[in-house]
Amino acid sequence: MMELFNLVENLTNISGPAGREEKIRSFLYKEAEAYGDELFIDALGNLIVTKRNPAGKKLLLAAHMDEIGLMVTFIEENGFLRFSAIGGIDKETLLGTRVIFSNGAAGIIGREKLKEKEVAGLSHFYIDIGARDRHEAQEKVKIGDTANFYPLCQRTGSRLIAKSLDNRAGCALLLQALKNLPATLPNEVYFVFTAQEEVGLRGAGTASYQLAPDFALAIDVTRTGDTPEPEYKMDLSLGNGPAIKIKDSSVICHPAIIERMIRTAEKNKIDYQLEVLERGGTDAGSIHLSRAGVPSGALSIPCRYIHTPGEMVDLSDIAGGISLLVELLTEKW
Ligand code: CO
Ligand code: ZN
């Protein structure tokens, strides 16, 4: 577990807002290099690691490596930065949040005082980088620069708290499965670390078009129903095993894939949960609609506080997901 913790910690410490995945991609490239027959970075920045078997079915596995972030839109006269969201930023968690720019510049998010009953919008917030005026701010950042939440990975028992566990937890699962697999597989498998999921499942769509797989699985986090929430019911908890997705807002998973995943989990006595996510999507959403359609499913890691600076997962769910994926990939599809 310590090894897995270290891998997830390393992954969450790296920056990679959607469209600016260079740093996280080069880390994954180095980690995966020894385990793939071929590595390729495509036009949108997806990292594609292939394990060849021309005689087998073609399986695409997609874990997005990008994270949500902020982009500078305007620099005020007094040096404060206005910004736009990259992906689904949760306004409730912005005030007082630390951010770091890709060039290392540090900042903290402030908010204008609200009038009575006024609801905060993104336009009420600004990033304070400690600059005295616009000129000083411009020495540190420019329009279009990106930032992400400041990384800090904490462990509490088997659980982890960190930024970007969506989807570095999924990247860890996919990478570790790749490392644990034997040299030759009964299928041809594409391990794809996708770009730009958080802005609309973009990288996965072009990767899928290019690779033309027979089947696909997305690997991502999903919400849970195990926090104080009287109104909202979801039958998923941290620590009860990885989840086999049935449906979310982007995809209705193919029944044959769901059935295969359940059968493999039960045969190998791996704990699993069934996921119906009422709001949210993942890479399978664009993959299953590519070309003439691709039967798709998803393996999910339960995660609390998604899209906040402190997301939480249980290491045992990631470990269970690794076992299930390894078993699935050593079967002939
Ligand atoms: Co997300
Ligand atoms: Zn995600």
Side-chain angles (χ1 to χ4, degrees), residues 174-223:
L174 186 58
L175 180 64
Q176 195 57 53
L178 168 68
K179 292 181 178 185
N180 292 359
L181 282 163
T184 49
L185 298 177
N187 319 290
E188 173 140 311
V189 187
Y190 311 111
F191 299 79
V192 185
F193 297 93
T194 63
Q196 300 191 37
E197 189 268 358
E198 294 292 0
V199 289
L201 325 177
R202 295 178 188 171
T206 60
S208 181
Y209 182 89
Q210 171 181 204
L211 297 167
D214 297 304
F215 304 103
L217 279 184
I219 294 136
D220 202 345
V221 296
T222 189
R223 291 183 191 283

Side-chain angles (χ1 to χ4, degrees), residues 64 68 166 197-198 306-307:
H64 75 87
I68 55 171
D166 173 14
E197 189 268 358
E198 294 292 0
I306 292 180
H307 288 195

Side-chain angles (χ1 to χ4, degrees), residues 22-23 28 40 64 86 89 118 165 179 191 198 201 222 232 248 250 264 293 302 309 311:
E22 304 78 19
K23 288 177 189 159
L28 289 163
F40 175 63
H64 75 87
I86 303 172
I89 295 280
E118 195 180 10
L165 284 165
K179 292 181 178 185
F191 299 79
E198 294 292 0
L201 325 177
T222 189
Y232 177 67
D248 65 21
S250 71
T264 304
E311 303 174 332

